[in-house]
Protein backbone atom coordinates (compact mmCIF):
# COMPACT_ATOMS: atom_id res chain seq x y z
CA UNK A 1 0.00 0.00 0.00
CA UNK A 2 1.20 3.52 -0.88
CA UNK A 3 -0.38 6.40 1.05
CA UNK A 4 0.41 9.96 -0.01
CA UNK A 5 0.02 12.82 2.45
CA UNK A 6 2.23 15.63 1.07
CA UNK A 7 0.38 18.30 -0.90
CA UNK A 8 -0.92 18.48 -3.53
CA UNK A 9 -1.78 15.03 -2.17
CA UNK A 10 -4.18 13.84 -4.89
CA UNK A 11 -1.96 14.83 -7.81
CA UNK A 12 1.22 13.66 -6.05
CA UNK A 13 -0.48 10.31 -5.50
CA UNK A 14 -1.54 10.08 -9.16
CA UNK A 15 2.02 10.94 -10.22
CA UNK A 16 3.43 8.22 -7.94
CA UNK A 17 0.90 5.76 -9.34
CA UNK A 18 1.86 6.58 -12.95
CA UNK A 19 5.56 6.35 -12.06
CA UNK A 20 5.24 2.84 -10.60
CA UNK A 21 3.12 0.90 -13.12
CA UNK A 22 4.15 -2.46 -11.62
CA UNK A 23 2.15 -1.61 -8.47
CA UNK A 24 -1.65 -1.98 -8.88
CA UNK A 25 -3.47 1.38 -9.07
CA UNK A 26 -5.78 0.24 -6.29
CA UNK A 27 -2.81 0.12 -3.89
CA UNK A 28 -2.39 3.91 -4.05
CA UNK A 29 -4.43 6.28 -1.90
CA UNK A 30 -4.11 9.80 -0.59
CA UNK A 31 -5.20 11.28 2.70
CA UNK A 32 -8.57 13.05 2.81
CA UNK A 33 -9.33 11.55 6.23
CA UNK A 34 -8.15 14.76 7.91
CA UNK A 35 -10.91 16.66 6.07
CA UNK A 36 -13.34 13.84 6.86
CA UNK A 37 -12.49 14.08 10.59
CA UNK A 38 -12.85 17.86 10.50
CA UNK A 39 -16.29 17.57 8.90
CA UNK A 40 -17.39 15.12 11.61
CA UNK A 41 -16.04 17.47 14.30
CA UNK A 42 -17.92 20.49 12.96
CA UNK A 43 -21.21 18.57 12.97
CA UNK A 44 -20.52 17.19 16.45
CA UNK A 45 -19.74 20.67 17.79
CA UNK A 46 -22.93 22.08 16.32
CA UNK A 47 -25.06 19.34 17.85
CA UNK A 48 -23.23 19.02 21.18
CA UNK A 49 -22.23 15.37 20.66
CA UNK A 50 -18.86 13.64 20.16
CA UNK A 51 -17.27 13.02 16.76
CA UNK A 52 -17.78 9.29 17.30
CA UNK A 53 -21.54 9.93 17.27
CA UNK A 54 -21.31 11.18 13.66
CA UNK A 55 -20.78 8.82 10.72
CA UNK A 56 -20.88 8.67 6.94
CA UNK A 57 -19.82 12.20 6.11
CA UNK A 58 -18.15 12.34 2.70
CA UNK A 59 -15.25 14.32 1.31
CA UNK A 60 -15.55 14.40 -2.48
CA UNK A 61 -12.66 15.34 -4.72
CA UNK A 62 -9.44 17.17 -4.04
CA UNK A 63 -7.65 17.77 -0.74
CA UNK A 64 -7.84 21.50 -1.43
CA UNK A 65 -10.23 24.40 -0.97
CA UNK A 66 -12.48 22.96 -3.72
CA UNK A 67 -13.14 19.74 -1.79
CA UNK A 68 -16.81 19.09 -1.15
CA UNK A 69 -17.69 18.05 2.42
CA UNK A 70 -21.09 16.38 2.02
CA UNK A 71 -23.41 15.37 4.87
CA UNK A 72 -26.42 14.46 2.72
CA UNK A 73 -25.99 10.81 3.74
CA UNK A 74 -24.46 11.36 7.19
CA UNK A 75 -26.04 10.10 10.40
CA UNK A 76 -25.74 11.26 13.97
CA UNK A 77 -26.61 9.47 17.20
CA UNK A 78 -28.93 11.69 19.22
CA UNK A 79 -30.70 10.59 22.41
CA UNK A 80 -29.88 6.98 21.67
CA UNK A 81 -31.13 6.83 18.08
CA UNK A 82 -29.60 7.53 14.67
CA UNK A 83 -31.01 10.37 12.59
CA UNK A 84 -29.91 12.10 9.40
CA UNK A 85 -27.67 15.12 9.96
CA UNK A 86 -29.94 17.39 7.89
CA UNK A 87 -32.94 16.34 10.00
CA UNK A 88 -30.99 16.74 13.25
CA UNK A 89 -29.64 20.21 12.47
CA UNK A 90 -32.55 21.71 10.55
CA UNK A 91 -30.18 24.39 9.26
CA UNK A 92 -29.74 23.90 5.51
CA UNK A 93 -28.16 27.32 4.98
CA UNK A 94 -25.34 26.54 7.46
CA UNK A 95 -24.79 23.06 6.00
CA UNK A 96 -24.63 24.41 2.44
CA UNK A 97 -22.58 27.48 3.37
CA UNK A 98 -20.46 28.05 6.46
CA UNK A 99 -20.00 24.34 7.22
CA UNK A 100 -18.51 23.67 3.79
CA UNK A 101 -16.17 26.69 3.79
CA UNK A 102 -15.04 25.97 7.38
CA UNK A 103 -13.96 22.44 6.46
CA UNK A 104 -12.42 23.58 3.15
CA UNK A 105 -10.33 26.27 4.84
CA UNK A 106 -9.66 24.63 8.20
CA UNK A 107 -5.99 23.87 7.44
CA UNK A 108 -5.27 27.50 6.57
CA UNK A 109 -7.16 28.69 9.67
CA UNK A 110 -5.06 26.43 11.93
CA UNK A 111 -1.80 27.70 10.38
CA UNK A 112 -2.95 31.30 10.78
CA UNK A 113 -3.86 30.75 14.45
CA UNK A 114 -0.89 28.59 15.50
CA UNK A 115 1.75 29.70 12.97
CA UNK A 116 2.19 25.94 12.57
CA UNK A 117 0.41 23.25 10.61
CA UNK A 118 -2.04 20.83 12.21
CA UNK A 119 0.56 18.05 12.32
CA UNK A 120 -1.05 16.10 15.17
CA UNK A 121 -4.46 16.10 13.48
CA UNK A 122 -2.83 14.88 10.27
CA UNK A 123 -0.98 12.15 12.16
CA UNK A 124 -4.26 11.01 13.77
CA UNK A 125 -5.93 10.97 10.33
CA UNK A 126 -3.08 8.87 8.87
CA UNK A 127 -3.54 6.38 11.73
CA UNK A 128 -7.30 6.25 11.04
CA UNK A 129 -6.67 5.74 7.30
CA UNK A 130 -4.17 2.92 7.87
CA UNK A 131 -6.26 1.27 10.60
CA UNK A 132 -9.28 1.09 8.30
CA UNK A 133 -7.22 -0.34 5.43
CA UNK A 134 -5.82 -2.97 7.79
CA UNK A 135 -8.89 -3.87 9.82
CA UNK A 136 -11.72 -2.72 7.54
CA UNK A 137 -14.57 -0.28 8.11
CA UNK A 138 -17.31 -1.06 10.65
CA UNK A 139 -20.56 -2.49 9.29
CA UNK A 140 -22.83 0.28 8.01
CA UNK A 141 -20.07 2.90 7.93
CA UNK A 142 -18.02 4.41 5.17
CA UNK A 143 -15.00 6.72 5.16
CA UNK A 144 -13.37 9.13 2.70
CA UNK A 145 -10.22 8.26 0.80
CA UNK A 146 -8.47 9.62 -2.30
CA UNK A 147 -8.37 6.74 -4.80
CA UNK A 148 -8.17 6.16 -8.55
CA UNK A 149 -11.45 7.22 -10.16
CA UNK A 150 -11.52 4.54 -12.88
CA UNK A 151 -14.99 3.02 -13.32
CA UNK A 152 -16.59 4.96 -10.47
CA UNK A 153 -20.42 5.13 -10.38
CA UNK A 154 -20.66 8.92 -9.90
CA UNK A 155 -19.70 10.27 -13.32
CA UNK A 156 -16.25 11.48 -12.27
CA UNK A 157 -13.78 11.19 -15.19
CA UNK A 158 -11.41 8.23 -15.11
CA UNK A 159 -7.70 8.61 -14.39
CA UNK A 160 -8.01 11.11 -11.56
CA UNK A 161 -7.05 10.59 -7.93
CA UNK A 162 -10.35 11.64 -6.35
CA UNK A 163 -11.77 11.30 -2.85
CA UNK A 164 -14.80 9.02 -2.64
CA UNK A 165 -16.81 7.35 0.12
CA UNK A 166 -15.46 3.82 0.52
CA UNK A 167 -15.97 0.71 2.56
CA UNK A 168 -12.97 -1.53 3.21
CA UNK A 169 -12.89 -5.28 3.68
CA UNK A 170 -9.95 -7.69 3.47
CA UNK A 171 -7.62 -4.70 2.83
CA UNK A 172 -9.57 -3.85 -0.34
CA UNK A 173 -11.57 -0.65 -0.77
CA UNK A 174 -14.85 -0.40 -2.63
CA UNK A 175 -16.62 2.82 -3.60
CA UNK A 176 -20.03 3.08 -1.93
CA UNK A 177 -22.66 2.80 -4.66
CA UNK A 178 -26.22 4.01 -4.97
CA UNK A 179 -25.96 7.32 -3.11
CA UNK A 180 -28.36 9.90 -4.52
CA UNK A 181 -26.63 13.02 -5.81
CA UNK A 182 -28.69 16.21 -5.94
CA UNK A 183 -27.96 19.20 -8.19
CA UNK A 184 -26.13 21.09 -5.43
CA UNK A 185 -23.78 18.14 -4.84
CA UNK A 186 -23.30 17.49 -8.56
CA UNK A 187 -22.04 21.01 -9.13
CA UNK A 188 -19.59 20.81 -6.20
CA UNK A 189 -18.34 17.36 -7.22
CA UNK A 190 -17.73 18.46 -10.81
CA UNK A 191 -15.95 21.64 -9.73
CA UNK A 192 -13.36 19.77 -7.67
CA UNK A 193 -12.96 17.18 -10.48
CA UNK A 194 -12.21 20.03 -12.89
CA UNK A 195 -9.48 21.34 -10.56
CA UNK A 196 -7.95 17.86 -10.34
CA UNK A 197 -7.94 17.51 -14.13
CA UNK A 198 -6.15 20.87 -14.42
CA UNK A 199 -3.60 19.90 -11.72
CA UNK A 200 -2.98 16.61 -13.51
CA UNK A 201 -2.39 18.37 -16.82
CA UNK A 202 0.08 20.83 -15.26
CA UNK A 203 1.96 18.10 -13.38
CA UNK A 204 2.26 15.81 -16.41
CA UNK A 205 3.40 18.68 -18.65
CA UNK A 206 6.14 19.40 -16.14
CA UNK A 207 7.13 15.73 -15.87
CA UNK A 208 7.26 15.25 -19.64
CA UNK A 209 9.59 18.25 -20.00
CA UNK A 210 11.82 17.28 -17.05
Amino acid sequence: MVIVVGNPANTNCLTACKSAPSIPKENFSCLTRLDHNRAKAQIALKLGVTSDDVKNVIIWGNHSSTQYPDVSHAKVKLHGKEVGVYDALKDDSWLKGEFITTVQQRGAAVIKARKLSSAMSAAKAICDHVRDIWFGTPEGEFVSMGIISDGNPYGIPDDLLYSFPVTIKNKTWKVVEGLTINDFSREKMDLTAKELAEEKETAFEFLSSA
Side-chain angles (χ1 to χ4, degrees):
M1 289 289 178
V2 179
I3 300 159
V4 177
V5 179
N7 290 322
N10 299 59
T11 300
N12 283 348
C13 189
L14 184 65
T15 303
C17 179
K18 296 287 187 184
S19 302
S22 64
I23 301 174
K25 291 178 183 178
E26 295 75 22
N27 287 23
F28 288 84
S29 60
C30 79
L31 191 74
T32 55
R33 188 59 171 269
L34 178 53
D35 310 301
H36 180 99
N37 288 350
R38 285 167 172 165
K40 284 178 63 175
Q42 289 300 314
I43 298 299
L45 275 169
K46 193 81 168 170
L47 287 168
V49 298
T50 69
S51 286
D52 288 342
D53 291 323
V54 183
K55 70 176 188 181
N56 297 353
V57 304
I58 303 168
I59 303 297
W60 298 100
N62 200 1
H63 174 63
S64 75
S65 60
T66 67
Q67 65 175 261
Y68 171 41
D70 177 15
V71 293
S72 306
H73 310 280
K75 306 275 189 193
V76 60
K77 196 182 291 180
L78 274 183
H79 314 302
K81 63 178 184 178
E82 268 188 7
V83 291
V85 165
Y86 266 86
D87 293 335
L89 271 171
K90 297 181 174 62
D91 191 348
D92 289 19
S93 62
W94 183 79
L95 285 169
K96 290 183 173 180
E98 188 183 335
F99 163 71
I100 291 174
T101 53
T102 298
V103 176
Q104 287 174 334
Q105 297 166 14
R106 186 66 180 163
V110 170
I111 290 169
K112 188 177 178 185
R114 295 184 67 230
K115 308 292 184 280
L116 293 165
S117 71
S118 52
M120 190 61 78
S121 300
K124 164 72 164 63
I126 294 164
C127 291
D128 292 342
H129 183 111
V130 173
R131 182 196 64 222
D132 286 344
I133 288 174
W134 199 254
F135 295 108
T137 47
E139 192 67 35
E141 289 190 33
F142 49 79
V143 295
S144 305
M145 191 178 283
I147 52 171
I148 196 71
S149 61
D150 295 4
N152 74 86
Y154 295 106
I156 302 303
D158 287 352
D159 209 34
L160 294 177
L161 218 297
Y162 191 98
S163 181
F164 289 97
V166 299
T167 54
I168 305 165
K169 193 174 181 180
N170 300 324
K171 301 182 180 65
T172 303
W173 55 258
K174 184 176 185 295
V175 175
V176 176
E177 296 183 6
L179 299 175
T180 53
I181 305 298
N182 60 28
D183 291 344
F184 179 84
S185 293
R186 181 81 263 162
E187 186 181 336
K188 298 278 187 195
M189 289 162 68
D190 289 347
L191 182 73
T192 192
K194 181 173 180 283
E195 182 185 55
L196 280 169
E198 289 166 359
E199 276 188 21
K200 171 187 163 183
E201 191 179 339
T202 303
F204 288 14
E205 274 175 17
F206 177 78
L207 286 170
S208 63
S209 64

